[in-house]
């Protein structure tokens, strides 16, 4: 269902010349799809942020009232040139996000438009730096996390899937994809039953989840350990955020090459597309609203965890 789109995205990104404009060209035949590319300079280089809007038949972009869904491809960079040659493992999030956008765009041309808008964001950098991390090295980014959140989180997003390679650890020993509990306003909530159901359907396997800690949902830059940046979008929005991890049984460095598995990336993209269908149709909830209101009444706001805290 999404393997063709995944291969198209991989082919464009597996290049030292990859850019946001080249990714934009993948959508040139989809008249209703809006694609914008913004080049941003950072202390360690530059990257191309890309925003893709797939309008819904009753989406807010057309004056409708259907929910707006967000898909974020999280990564430091798609390549680590010149120290590494080729596409790095960290690129999986960007590839999955673009592949899901391509699938949704093609669906529209075949009469299968979603009710609500879907906004997909990621960034393209073929020569990002690397950085030390335990147990294996990670990719770094040319720009800081605040800049990434500024360009990748769109206020209209009412629920967000954050897709990220999550292979550089020893806590997710599964090859494929896994999802996190829902994170909202500093709270780690229960895993969404709707997302578990959709995951079972799209993978044909029992659903796989991964653990997160309080540290993982705090902003980068506070000198605390984070499993990776998969839940960094949650520090910059009140919308519910769920991480979709592309995983491996072995420990794989984010800067490792030859470690991107097309079928696993396509699985993440297919999951994202199915969630987009249901979320914009009102049949998928990321969290129980009554329960969240109850937890706020009992324990108050935890938005402090979305900040750098007391420095």
């Amino acid at each position: 269902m999404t393997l063709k789109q995944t291969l198209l995205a991989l082919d464009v990104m597996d290049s030292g010349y990859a850019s946001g404009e080249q990714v934009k060209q993948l959508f040139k035949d989809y008249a209703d799809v809006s694609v914008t590319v913004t080049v941003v300079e950072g202390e360690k280089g530059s990257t191309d942020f890309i925003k893709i809007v797939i309008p819904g038949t009753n989406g807010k972009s057309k004056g409708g009232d259907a929910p707006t869904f967000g898909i974020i491809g999280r990564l430091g960079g798609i390549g680590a040139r010149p120290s590494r040659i080729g596409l790095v493992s960290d690129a999986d999030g960007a590839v999955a996000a673009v592949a899901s956008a391509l699938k949704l765009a093609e669906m529209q041309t075949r009469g299968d438009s979603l009710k609500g808008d879907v906004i997909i964001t990621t960034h393209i950098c073929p020569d990002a730096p690397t950085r030390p991390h335990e147990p294996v090295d990670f990719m770094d980014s040319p720009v800081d996390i605040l800049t990434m959140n500024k360009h990748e989180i769109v206020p209209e997003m009412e629920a967000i899937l954050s897709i990220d390679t999550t292979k550089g650890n020893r806590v997710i020993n599964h090859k494929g994809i896994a999802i996190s509990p829902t994170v909202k306003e500093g709270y780690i909530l229960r895993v969404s039953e709707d997302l578990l159901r959709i995951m079972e359907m799209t993978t044909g396997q029992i659903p796989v989840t991964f653990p997160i800690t309080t540290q993982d949902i705090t902003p980068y830059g506070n000198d605390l350990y984070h499993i990776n940046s998969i839940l960094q979008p949650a520090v910059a929005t009140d919308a519910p955020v769920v991480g979709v991890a592309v995983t491996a049984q072995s420990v794989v460095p984010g800067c490792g090459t030859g470690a991107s598995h097309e079928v696993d990336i396509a699985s993440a993209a297919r999951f994202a597309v199915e969630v987009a269908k249901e979320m914009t149709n009102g049949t998928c909830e990321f969290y129980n609203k009554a329960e969240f209101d109850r937890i706020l009444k009992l324990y108050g706001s935890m938005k402090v965890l979305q900040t750098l805290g007391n420095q």
Side-chain angles (χ1 to χ4, degrees):
M1 295 282 287
T2 52
L3 184 57
K4 178 181 76 172
Q5 290 80 13
T6 298
L7 294 174
L8 281 171
L10 275 169
D11 187 55
V12 168
M13 293 189 208
D14 191 9
S15 167
Y17 306 117
S19 67
E21 286 297 330
Q22 288 184 340
V23 172
K24 182 177 180 178
Q25 286 303 305
L26 291 172
F27 298 87
K28 60 183 174 57
D29 295 328
Y30 302 111
D32 292 336
V33 176
S34 169
V35 183
T36 56
V37 177
T38 305
V39 180
V40 177
E41 296 283 342
E43 293 183 359
K44 302 174 184 178
S46 68
T47 191
D48 297 354
F49 285 97
I50 186 164
K51 174 186 173 184
I52 307 159
V53 180
I54 316 287
T57 57
N58 190 37
K60 293 183 171 67
S61 64
K62 294 182 178 179
D65 60 1
T68 301
F69 183 56
I71 301 171
I72 297 176
R74 285 291 306 120
L75 70 159
I78 62 171
R81 298 170 181 86
S83 62
R84 305 286 197 283
I85 297 174
L87 193 81
V88 296
S89 172
D90 201 43
D92 292 0
V95 176
V98 171
S100 64
L102 283 168
K103 178 62 179 178
L104 290 165
E106 185 176 278
M107 284 167 53
Q108 283 196 336
T109 67
R110 298 183 176 187
D112 285 333
S113 295
L114 275 58
K115 284 187 177 180
D117 302 334
V118 181
I119 303 173
I120 301 97
T121 58
T122 190
H123 72 102
I124 309 298
C125 178
D127 49 9
T130 62
R131 66 180 177 88
H133 187 273
E134 293 295 335
V136 289
D137 288 350
F138 270 8
M139 288 295 296
D140 203 349
S141 174
V143 298
D144 60 45
I145 196 68
L146 293 176
T147 301
M148 296 178 77
N149 281 341
K150 175 183 175 183
H151 289 276
E152 292 179 346
I153 295 171
V154 180
E156 289 80 5
M157 294 175 173
E158 296 174 51
I160 296 170
L161 286 184
S162 173
I163 309 175
D164 197 355
T165 315
T166 312
K167 302 173 182 175
N169 63 81
R170 294 191 179 93
V171 299
I172 316 173
N173 303 310
H174 163 77
K175 183 179 182 297
I177 64 172
I179 63 172
S180 75
T182 299
V183 178
K184 179 173 169 60
E185 298 176 45
Y187 274 103
I188 301 173
L189 305 174
R190 62 180 293 192
V191 179
S192 164
E193 290 291 335
D194 286 331
L195 295 182
L196 292 173
R197 169 179 55 80
I198 295 170
M199 191 178 189
E200 282 183 323
M201 178 176 64
T202 59
T203 64
Q205 299 175 322
I206 57 173
V208 179
T209 63
F210 66 94
I212 56 174
T213 68
T214 303
Q215 294 171 216
D216 295 322
I217 67 169
T218 61
Y220 269 20
N222 59 5
D223 297 326
L224 294 176
Y225 178 89
H226 296 74
I227 188 170
N228 66 358
S229 65
I230 191 167
L231 288 165
Q232 286 302 291
V235 308
T237 179
D238 287 346
V241 178
V242 170
V244 180
V246 182
T247 58
Q249 284 185 309
S250 58
V251 181
V252 179
C255 55
T257 56
S260 294
H261 301 272
E262 297 87 344
V263 173
D264 295 339
I265 300 171
S267 182
R270 183 168 59 251
F271 174 73
V273 168
E274 294 302 316
V275 174
K277 290 179 186 179
E278 293 212 24
M279 188 272 170
T280 59
N281 194 41
T283 58
C284 174
E285 295 288 349
F286 274 47
Y287 70 105
N288 184 303
K289 294 179 175 60
E291 194 167 70
F292 185 71
D293 290 342
R294 176 69 174 166
I295 202 170
L296 285 179
K297 181 178 179 180
L298 290 172
Y299 301 105
S301 172
M302 293 296 288
K303 286 190 174 185
V304 65
L305 293 171
Q306 295 176 289
T307 74
L308 289 171
N310 299 318
Q311 296 290 320

